[in-house]
Amino acid sequence: MRRLLLVPLVVLALLAGVTAAVTAAPEGQPTGRTDTLFPQQGHPGYDVRHYDVRLDYDPATNRLDARTTVRATTPQRLKTFSLDLVGMKVTSVRVDGRPAGFRRDAQHLVVRPRVPVTGGFTTTVAYAGTPQEIVDADGSTEGWVRTDDGAIALGEPVGTMAWIPSDNTPGDKARFRFRITVPRGVQAVSNGDLVSKVDRGAGSTWTWRVRDRMATYLAMVAVGRFAVHRSSMTSVTGRRIPIWSFVDPTTGRSTTARAALPKVLRFQEKLFGPYPLTSAGLVVDAASVGYALETQNRPFYPDSVDSATLVHESAHQWFGNSVTLRDWHDIWLPEGFATYAEWLWTGAHDGRTPAQRFDDLYATPASDGLWSPAPTEFTDSADLFGEPVYNRGAMTLQALRERVGDTDFFRLLKRWAAVYRQGNAGTAQLLALAEQVSGEQLDQLFADWLELDGRPAGY
Ligand code: ARG
Ligand code: ZN
């Protein structure tokens, strides 16, 4: 009896403590929760609905002249709020059309509107300069990456702050429009659908519209000389999906990858449900980064596209881009699912099956880097794209499949993509959905595979 009374009291006290911890902020300042790995990124006090990004870029000088309008809402009353932006010179900030005060504070652009904002508000930032390339903790580069004939903007995990003043955290998805003016004869590709390309004077303006809510880290612009390929495919729903692909001619032929793309997407639709986005394609651009990236609609490949990578980045359109993590500490969700999608593809095309892959990996020594740190337990962002995240993440899904059986497992993949379509979800939501679909208690399995340091025993 006493225990029963105590438990709710303790829970209440804990809740109160937690609430105080996440909402403590001076009056008029945004409040809320920040990212576990990147506490400086993102601003919980408001929710962005739309980014209108206008870029004027000259590949010859690498100079960017930009104006971004951010439409957001807040349930609070904000005397000041911040956007993430590094480098670039800000020349003016307007809130709801009126000049606002602003200052730079490390990677934050701190805005002080004339009057506090509440409900919907619009912020327009004018800025210019040479956008930065950013070096991550693991030594890889992102942000605004210059190429031989232009540049490519890549944003995982944080690089988008080099060129869009943004709420740069995956939990705040929004719609986008990009209007990119480049010298005539140069192409400008981005996410979403090509709305128009207008030639005026010595320049061309390419307008791309992203109607599916997108996380900032998936934003991409590539400027340079590309061969442009337009086609389409038919979704399992009967919908026509336009395909726009941009291929840097210096990277060699892309015929195989372009022919494979609709086949891969159709294969994945059968397993994961309808393709979740308005359009598809790929961007091949010779850039000195050592990775491909699932930039929304149109993944980026730094070189000719191999089949495993094509399958991986395509799967991310469901897992990562449509269903998006909320906190970077859940990176195993997109990477584990995309890696598992590779296993499904090779298994269905005369290669090793997921079970064989699992067994081979499980046989690696307990001292192997695969086993530590556990997928959700790392605290150093240098481990974001480490082996445990990809391979142990995919093994988690195979362990889950063996536990619940094929019927429930494949039902879960489709439900996960459907329930959280264009939204955000974390590991806790996956566990809950897996338990709901299978009727089994799976917390131990999730803890073994995601949290335990070292190789889980008995699988
Ligand atoms: N998400 C990418 C993939 O498809 C990897 C991105 C790596 N990013 C980085 N900054 N190293 O696996
Ligand atoms: Zn990936």
Side-chain angles (χ1 to χ4, degrees), residues 66-68 89-93 124-128:
R67 200 174 80 201
T68 291
K89 181 168 174 43
V90 175
T91 52
S92 86
V93 178
T124 299
V125 182
Y127 52 108

Side-chain angles (χ1 to χ4, degrees), residues 39 78 89 108-109 133 154 163 169 214 303 322 393 444:
L78 304 177
K89 181 168 174 43
H108 295 160
L109 170 64
E133 185 172 308
L154 302 170
W163 60 288
T169 190
M214 179 170 84
D303 209 328
S322 171
Q444 191 58 52

Side-chain angles (χ1 to χ4, degrees), residues 156 292-294 312-313 316 319 334-336 338-339 342 385 390:
E156 188 180 32
L293 186 62
E294 64 269 28
H312 181 105
E313 309 308 337
H316 272 311
F319 305 116
E335 299 310 345
T339 303
E342 292 176 51
F385 304 107
Y390 287 73

Side-chain angles (χ1 to χ4, degrees), residues 37 46 53 55 79 126-127 135 194 201 207 212 239 267 292 314 328 331 379 409 439:
L37 288 163
Y46 59 86
V53 183
L55 307 176
K79 288 183 185 159
Y127 52 108
V135 180
L194 180 61
T207 300
D212 306 305
R239 179 169 67 92
F267 173 82
S314 299
W328 285 109
I331 185 68
T379 50
F409 179 76

